Amino acid sequence: MEIFRGRRLWIENTKVMLPNGLEQEKVIVHPRGAVAILPVTPTGYKLLRQYRYAIGQYIYEAPAGTMEDGEDPAATAHRELIEEAGVAATTMTPKGFIYTTPGFTDEKIWLFEARGLVPSSEFKKDADEVIEVIDVTKDEMDAMVENGTICDAKTICLIHRCGRDDE
């Protein structure tokens, strides 16, 4: 049974059959697909300091966003990188995907590494995005993960999968 349907997600209450034969009632959240991009610069990386209203604070994270109807992950990554960081990439390398919290949602975020960055204003930020773009070195980013300054799970996964070939 559908509980809610919005522009970015829908929620259902459904019966599921578990592999052990047990049937249970579960609430499942079905968001649209999303992407996250790690922009690699000659001296490090571009991150966002972005206000997230759901937690009522700013966090440091990679550019990311929701796929539009009919849009594939690579096209979304291209658009979101420009919208949020103001740069386009000459090379966008897919780095797989992650499930965010599979205990209650089937949300999948496709990961990309962006290189060869050039300024672009082809797309504008969404009105509800409060974003500051910051440049960090590899050492600064590693320290930010270790000390908890970067606490966004998709960004930590992305850092782990990308941009590490310079070591």
Side-chain angles (χ1 to χ4, degrees):
M1 167 182 65
E2 187 172 300
I3 298 172
F4 171 81
R5 183 169 294 269
R7 186 175 101 62
R8 293 185 175 194
L9 62 85
W10 66 282
I11 303 170
E12 72 172 324
N13 188 348
T14 188
K15 289 189 179 186
V16 297
M17 182 65 69
L18 301 176
N20 65 2
L22 184 65
E23 184 177 71
Q24 288 196 325
E25 191 170 296
K26 298 287 183 181
V27 173
I28 304 172
V29 178
H30 303 282
R32 290 179 179 227
V35 302
I37 311 103
L38 185 63
V40 181
T41 70
T43 58
Y45 309 91
K46 289 191 176 294
L47 292 176
L48 307 180
R49 180 177 177 267
Q50 183 167 0
Y51 183 77
R52 291 299 192 175
Y53 56 86
I55 58 172
Q57 66 185 39
Y58 284 89
I59 64 169
Y60 291 91
E61 62 183 301
T66 305
M67 295 167 60
E68 299 294 340
D69 286 335
E71 193 175 43
D72 68 34
T76 305
H78 171 78
R79 177 178 53 77
E80 288 291 343
L81 183 61
I82 295 169
E83 281 182 14
E84 294 192 344
V87 294
T90 58
T91 305
M92 188 79 74
T93 306
K95 295 293 186 172
F97 66 86
I98 58 170
Y99 289 110
T100 60
T101 43
F104 69 89
T105 180
D106 59 1
E107 181 177 36
K108 185 185 276 192
I109 298 179
W110 298 94
L111 306 176
F112 291 87
E113 179 182 83
R115 291 183 179 264
L117 305 178
V118 294
S120 178
S121 58
E122 180 182 357
F123 302 103
K124 300 293 180 211
K125 275 190 303 205
D126 293 337
D128 65 344
E129 293 178 323
V130 180
I131 295 172
E132 173 189 356
V133 180
I134 63 163
D135 290 294
V136 296
T137 66
K138 177 195 166 302
D139 289 342
E140 289 169 333
M141 186 172 67
D142 288 344
M144 291 170 78
V145 171
E146 187 163 329
N147 69 26
T149 301
I150 296 175
C151 57
D152 176 63
K154 71 181 177 304
T155 300
I156 295 168
C157 290
L158 191 57
I159 290 166
H160 186 71
R161 291 217 192 151
C162 300
R164 311 312 278 181
D165 60 353
D166 56 343
E167 297 186 291

